[in-house]
């Protein structure tokens, strides 16, 4: 992405807080955001794994899709709103329980990925969905969603609000002290919660591999919420740098890097996001390709690599043991929790077995690499049996 | 002994005909936590401006250029085990390589401490 000049950049409602905290501001997804605070990426990363990290993710795209003519029958209204978005994605939205959040993919007709996103069923309002998309793709995504809404539903983007993520083992203790009701949420559940005079939309989700929450808050109360969370000594602000190293260790794909319009869910090892009901109905974009790939007819797959020596960054070639180029790194860097270099990349199916010895080319030199199970660092989500 | 600086934030500390090269305190602070340092081979002949070493932070790789022409005579192998020394002690324990200066006149064109300080205010 070309770097926009600083005056073109949008600011989140927390921009002043980042500057005041000494955040190093960089352009990201069209926004001016902190890549790190003075303590640095390594310390921020480790703090999030051990305590609780607070992230400004207001650049992302939260939105609501609400059925216009509701019947009053909750099941029918949910089915009607789900039917509007399902043609765009591979997830089972009709089957969501009230308050359930699902990770799914927006697909093109050839089965490539337009975005990865969260779609959630309102716990309170039948016929309403809460949808959060990525920053870099939000204009295109929102246009597709608005078109899908047609005259049957209202599509409302709420990306002028603030979106905060509180992540780490202490996140639940910190947030419960302010909003006791959040302890009832399990991983991938959400609800509306009162905090002072503000109604927060809180989901138990995130993109670090840790337990944690994402909080949608009005712009006017965002700084107050930020300060209230940071008042707890277990919480520190975390920049984009550690956000990236945390999600990389958790082997969570980053759109525009590990996912793009050519990459299918099966190639990206996101087969779980293609819901059973949708598979059986084969009624999603690119179904023919994706279902064939699921049966094993695929040429490449996303894998995790441990790299010896210098980190292999995005764009580094992956070589087989004989030195032949077989693939490319799509995300790579140093894993602070592991103290070594890790990478995500795509290789042909025959090279994807755990333990396969490969190489990566860094500055023209081949370095040893090995396929390892992902996530690199185990996920620690708080799953509730329902 | 005199220390000179490049606008790219390398320093070279010259004793006799040998210079010790590393990055400045300002540079290490800008780069953040250094996690890997790739050093040149001893005996390598470098021209002024050649890529001599690479430092990797969590986020990105940055090239270190030869401040002057010459031959690499020693490298700081301690950085292989402890790359963070570049952050902790950039101008002493975090040195990267020593170079036998072949074109002493090039030193005169580098910045002195005051000139470099002006760059980083």
């Amino acid at each position: 992405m070309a770097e926009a000049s600083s005056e073109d950049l949008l600011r989140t409602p927390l921009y002043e807080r980042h500057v005041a905290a000494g955040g190093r501001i960089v352009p990201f997804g069209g926004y001016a955001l902190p890549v790190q605070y003075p303590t640095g990426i390594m310390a921020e990363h480790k703090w999030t794994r051990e305590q609780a990290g607070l992230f400004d993710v207001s650049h992302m795209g939260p939105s609501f899709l609400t059925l216009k003519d509701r019947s009053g029958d909750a099941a029918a209204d949910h089915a009607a709103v789900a039917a509007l978005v399902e043609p765009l994605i591979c997830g089972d939205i009709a089957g969501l329980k009230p308050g359930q959040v699902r990770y799914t993919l927006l697909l093109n007709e050839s089965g490539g990925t337009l975005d990865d996103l969260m779609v959630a069923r309102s716990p309170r309002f039948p016929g309403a969905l809460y949808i959060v998309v990525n920053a870099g793709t939000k204009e295109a995504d929102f246009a597709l969603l608005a078109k899908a809404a047609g005259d049957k539903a209202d599509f409302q983007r709420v990306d002028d609000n603030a979106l905060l993520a509180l992540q780490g083992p202490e996140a639940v203790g910190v947030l419960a002290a302010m909003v006791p009701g959040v302890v009832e949420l399990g991983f991938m559940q959400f609800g509306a919660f009162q905090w002072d005079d503000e109604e927060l939309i809180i989901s138990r989700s995130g993109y670090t591999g840790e337990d944690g929450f994402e909080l949608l808050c009005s712009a006017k109360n965002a700084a107050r919420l930020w300060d209230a969370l940071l008042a707890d000594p277990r919480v520190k602000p975390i920049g984009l740098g550690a956000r990236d190293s945390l999600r990389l260790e958790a082997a969570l794909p980053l759109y525009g890097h590990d996912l793009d319009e050519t990459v299918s869910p099966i190639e990206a090892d996101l087969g779980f996001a293609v819901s059973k009901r949708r598979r059986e109905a084969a009624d999603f974009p690119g179904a023919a390709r994706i279902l064939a790939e699921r049966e094993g007819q695929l040429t490449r797959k996303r894998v995790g690599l441990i790299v010896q020596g210098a980190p292999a960054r995005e764009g580094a070639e992956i070589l087989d043991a004989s030195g032949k180029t077989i693939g490319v790194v799509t995300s790579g860097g140093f894993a602070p929790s592991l103290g070594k270099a890790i990478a995500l990349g795509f290789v042909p199916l025959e090279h994807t077995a755990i333990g396969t010895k490969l190489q990566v080319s860094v500055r023209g030199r081949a370095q040893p690499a090995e396929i390892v199970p992902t996530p690199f660092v185990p996920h620690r989500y708080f799953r509730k049996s329902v | 002994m005199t220390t000179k600086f490049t606008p790219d934030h390398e320093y070279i500390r010259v004793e006799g005909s040998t210079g010790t090269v590393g990055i400045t305190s300002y540079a290490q602070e800008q780069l953040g936590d250094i996690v890997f340092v790739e050093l040149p081979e001893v005996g390598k002949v470098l021209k002024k401006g050649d890529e001599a070493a690479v430092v990797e932070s969590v986020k990105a790789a940055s090239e270190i250029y030869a401040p002057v022409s010459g031959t690499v005579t020693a490298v700081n192998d301690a950085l292989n085990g402890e790359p963070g020394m570049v952050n902790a002690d950039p101008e002493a324990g975090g040195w990267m390589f020593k170079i036998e200066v072949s074109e002493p006149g090039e030193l005169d064109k580098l910045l002195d401490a005051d000139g470099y300080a002006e760059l980083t205010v």
Side-chain angles (χ1 to χ4, degrees):
Chain A
M1 184 187 319
E3 290 197 354
S5 69
S6 58
E7 53 266 37
D8 294 338
L9 293 173
L10 299 167
R11 292 177 177 186
T12 75
L14 297 164
Y15 176 80
E16 304 299 336
R17 287 295 188 274
H18 304 318
V19 172
R24 188 178 300 165
I25 306 297
V26 299
F28 186 78
Y31 285 78
L33 286 164
V35 64
Q36 63 163 82
Y37 297 92
T39 49
I41 294 174
M42 198 90 86
E44 291 172 25
H45 180 112
K46 290 180 175 167
W47 187 267
T48 305
R49 289 262 182 261
E50 289 161 14
Q51 302 277 335
L54 183 61
F55 304 74
D56 179 10
V57 292
S58 305
H59 56 299
M60 295 186 70
S63 62
F64 293 101
L65 186 69
T66 313
L67 202 63
K68 278 182 179 165
D69 294 317
R70 288 189 290 274
S71 67
D73 174 342
D77 288 343
H78 176 66
V81 76
L84 298 176
V85 294
E86 282 197 350
L88 301 175
I89 62 177
C90 54
D92 179 0
I93 303 307
L96 289 179
K97 298 185 179 82
Q100 189 182 356
V101 183
R102 178 154 282 156
Y103 173 81
T104 185
L105 302 161
L106 198 60
L107 299 171
N108 61 27
E109 283 307 319
S110 51
T113 307
L114 298 173
D115 198 11
D116 58 340
L117 67 160
M118 300 286 186
V119 178
R121 175 178 176 175
S122 170
R124 288 190 301 184
F125 302 111
L129 300 176
Y130 176 44
I131 301 174
V132 183
V133 305
N134 275 307
T137 50
K138 72 181 172 185
E139 296 305 328
D141 291 5
F142 285 166
L144 284 173
L145 289 165
K147 192 171 166 216
D151 57 6
K152 294 198 173 63
D154 286 315
F155 178 72
Q156 186 196 5
R157 62 190 287 173
V158 291
D159 57 329
D160 53 348
N161 288 255
L163 194 62
L164 280 60
L166 183 69
Q167 301 278 296
E170 296 295 330
V172 63
V174 170
L175 190 56
M178 291 166 54
V179 186
V182 298
V183 298
E184 300 300 326
L185 296 173
F187 179 59
M188 296 300 263
Q189 292 180 326
F190 89 111
F193 297 87
Q194 202 66 32
W195 173 68
D196 278 5
D197 57 343
E198 175 79 14
E199 181 168 80
L200 302 168
I201 305 292
I202 301 177
S203 61
R204 196 157 191 172
S205 56
Y207 226 57
T208 59
E210 297 296 327
D211 182 23
F213 300 87
E214 292 170 297
L215 304 87
L216 182 70
C217 176
S218 69
K220 76 174 161 63
N221 284 326
R224 197 156 59 87
L225 177 61
W226 179 264
D227 293 345
L229 289 164
L230 281 176
D232 191 305
R234 292 170 286 184
V235 182
K236 286 187 177 173
I238 311 296
L240 294 169
R243 181 168 161 82
D244 192 49
S245 55
L246 288 158
R247 73 91 200 163
L248 182 60
E249 285 184 346
L252 298 168
L254 182 62
Y255 193 82
H257 302 265
D258 311 301
L259 289 173
D260 64 33
E261 293 184 16
T262 72
V263 174
S264 80
I266 306 301
E267 289 178 328
D269 201 16
L270 299 172
F272 72 90
V274 186
S275 299
K276 181 159 180 272
R277 196 193 101 239
R278 306 298 307 280
R279 288 201 309 266
E280 288 169 359
D283 63 348
F284 52 90
R289 170 190 174 186
I290 289 167
L291 294 173
E293 286 181 347
R294 203 169 166 272
E295 297 307 314
Q297 294 178 45
L298 79 167
T299 53
R300 59 175 180 172
K301 197 166 183 188
R302 181 170 67 107
V303 293
L305 296 162
I306 296 260
V307 172
Q308 283 179 38
R313 312 275 178 184
E314 181 176 2
E317 288 183 338
I318 302 173
L319 318 172
D320 67 11
S322 75
K324 182 175 154 241
T325 301
I326 56 166
V328 66
V329 169
T330 50
S331 285
F334 184 78
S337 306
L338 303 173
K340 50 182 109 171
I342 57 173
L344 297 174
F346 287 81
V347 297
L349 208 53
E350 61 268 29
H351 296 284
T352 56
I354 302 300
T356 304
K357 302 268 195 275
L358 299 174
Q359 306 179 82
V360 289
S361 176
V362 179
R363 295 183 282 276
R365 252 206 315 268
Q367 297 177 188
E370 181 176 336
I371 307 262
V372 296
T374 55
F376 300 99
V377 171
H379 295 165
R380 297 196 289 178
Y381 302 136
F382 178 75
R383 293 182 196 276
K384 250 176 86 172
S385 43
V386 249
Chain B
M1 189 180 82
T2 129
T3 305
K4 295 282 193 144
F5 302 87
T6 73
D8 296 319
H9 311 288
E10 292 96 7
Y11 67 80
I12 177 164
R13 195 169 53 243
V14 186
E15 290 165 87
S17 61
T18 301
T20 302
V21 180
I23 63 170
T24 64
S25 185
Y26 175 85
Q28 67 76 22
E29 203 181 306
Q30 292 299 306
L31 291 170
D33 303 304
I34 305 296
V35 297
F36 188 88
V37 182
E38 193 170 296
L39 297 166
E41 279 171 33
V42 171
K44 186 166 185 179
V45 178
L46 296 167
K47 283 212 296 287
K48 177 183 162 73
D50 281 354
E51 185 183 309
V54 179
V55 291
E56 302 255 8
S57 67
V58 179
K59 242 193 123 48
S62 307
E63 289 86 29
I64 306 303
Y65 303 105
V68 294
S69 305
T71 304
V72 176
T73 58
V75 297
N76 186 3
D77 286 323
L79 297 182
N80 292 329
E82 219 181 322
M85 203 115 82
V86 177
N87 295 115
D89 194 13
E91 287 169 30
W95 67 278
M96 293 180 187
F97 60 94
K98 292 183 195 288
I99 187 168
E100 178 74 21
V101 180
S102 62
E103 307 281 345
E106 290 173 350
L107 288 166
D108 300 334
K109 300 191 183 99
L110 298 178
L111 300 163
D112 61 16
D114 289 345
Y116 180 69
E118 272 174 43
L119 268 189
T120 55
V121 282

